[in-house]
Amino acid sequence: MDALLSRLFSSEEEELYFLDCLAYLMVFMAACTFVTLLFENVPYGRYATSKYGFPVNVRFAWFIQELPAFLLPFCLVVWTSSAKTSLLPNQLLIAMYFCHYVQRSCIYPFLIRGGKPTPFASFALAFVFCIYNGYMQIRYLSHYAEYPADWVTRPCFIAGSVLWFVGWLVNVHSDHILRNLRKPGETGYKIPTGGMFEYVSGANFLGEITEWAGFALASHSVHSSAFALFTTVVLASRAVAHHKWYLAKFEDYPKSRKALIPFLF
């Protein structure tokens, strides 16, 4: 892949500038998405409609759309001159990224039970985003990110790593709860209970937001911060929409349960 990258960029400075531009573009995308989601729900799952294209099998969609977020970074680490992958801070941050996307692309899709088809537009946008973000995060961490020798002992890295791990656990556990709401042969929606669902309607979203916020704190870069911001905008909107939907559908839905932040929001 070095040959391909050398054709695309005349120097490392040019590629780093491009990576920075991608990060600032993602911040702009987050702002645009925030405004859009004030009027429209993200069109997949229970909010899927035919106006966003033909339906794609949900397992196939999740597997294919998330796969570039694993495969492209894997190629960047294995088949390029990854100058920084021998350094401990970079190794740990790259490991955090891969821990999430191995689970999300290679395990999660095959655990899905039922689920509504994904509109093609949502599937295609997610596929492109995973290429975009996967390249931006891992190319920066594997080739350009520089940290002090004691970075892994500094408070921001330790706190960020703990946040990432807690968020990852909440995300995976909440997905497990959602998968097991229905017994074999059952259809329809049920009120999720257990874990962080006792406090918020969007426990899985809270977990993923926490995960990438911790990653951004630990990696301390505009690239990871842009991703954390974009994730927060999309998933917070979805958590609020889910909360309203649950309240409207179930008369016995817990009134003390919040949308996203326990006891607050």
Side-chain angles (χ1 to χ4, degrees):
M1 290 189 71
D2 280 329
L4 174 61
L5 291 170
S6 64
R7 289 184 180 182
L8 293 173
F9 305 104
S10 60
S11 66
E12 290 187 346
E13 289 75 15
E14 183 179 338
E15 185 182 20
L16 181 57
Y17 176 74
F18 179 69
L19 289 168
D20 291 344
C21 288
L22 288 180
Y24 291 117
L25 176 60
M26 189 174 285
V27 173
F28 176 74
M29 288 166 52
C32 294
T33 301
F34 175 79
V35 175
T36 302
L37 293 179
L38 293 175
F39 307 98
E40 187 85 21
N41 289 320
V42 179
Y44 71 90
R46 67 193 66 175
Y47 311 111
T49 67
S50 58
K51 72 178 182 178
Y52 291 103
F54 61 86
V56 181
N57 176 273
V58 65
R59 284 188 175 184
F60 177 85
W62 270 104
F63 176 64
I64 297 299
Q65 75 189 27
E66 300 291 320
L67 195 59
F70 167 68
L71 281 183
L72 179 57
F74 180 82
C75 293
L76 288 171
V77 169
V78 174
W79 290 312
T80 64
S81 54
S82 304
K84 307 298 182 182
T85 52
S86 62
L87 304 175
L88 182 59
N90 304 62
Q91 290 174 343
L92 293 175
L93 290 164
I94 290 170
M96 291 179 197
Y97 176 93
F98 275 114
C99 186
H100 175 89
Y101 277 107
V102 166
Q103 197 278 337
R104 184 60 75 188
S105 62
C106 302
I107 299 173
Y108 173 79
F110 303 102
L111 297 176
I112 294 174
R113 298 179 181 178
K116 291 186 177 180
T118 301
F120 180 78
S122 297
F123 163 69
L125 286 173
F127 181 83
V128 172
F129 181 83
C130 284
I131 294 173
Y132 176 157
N133 187 58
Y135 164 71
M136 181 177 72
Q137 299 300 330
I138 297 304
R139 183 58 175 169
Y140 177 73
L141 286 172
S142 66
H143 202 78
Y144 295 104
E146 296 185 356
Y147 298 99
D150 64 342
W151 184 251
V152 298
T153 65
R154 294 194 180 185
C156 60
F157 183 86
I158 295 171
S161 299
V162 170
L163 271 178
W164 174 85
F165 185 64
V166 170
W168 184 82
L169 288 177
V170 169
N171 183 232
V172 172
H173 182 244
S174 299
D175 283 340
H176 172 76
I177 290 173
L178 291 173
R179 277 194 303 273
N180 290 279
L181 281 178
R182 304 185 192 96
K183 295 178 181 178
E186 287 186 332
T187 59
Y189 289 96
K190 291 187 174 183
I191 299 173
T193 58
M196 289 303 295
F197 281 113
E198 296 297 319
Y199 305 97
V200 295
S201 299
N204 50 331
F205 305 132
L206 172 63
E208 189 160 351
I209 289 170
T210 303
E211 191 181 344
W212 294 121
F215 180 77
L217 180 60
S219 58
H220 223 63
S221 72
V222 65
H223 313 86
S224 56
S225 298
F227 180 38
L229 175 63
F230 189 88
T231 299
T232 300
V233 166
V234 173
L235 297 188
S237 170
R238 198 158 178 83
V240 170
H242 274 31
H243 187 66
K244 292 178 178 178
W245 185 90
Y246 280 126
L247 287 171
K249 186 172 181 64
F250 298 103
E251 291 184 1
D252 58 341
Y253 194 73
K255 303 304 179 186
S256 62
R257 192 176 295 186
K258 300 298 183 181
L260 184 65
I261 303 174
F263 312 114
L264 297 176
F265 173 71

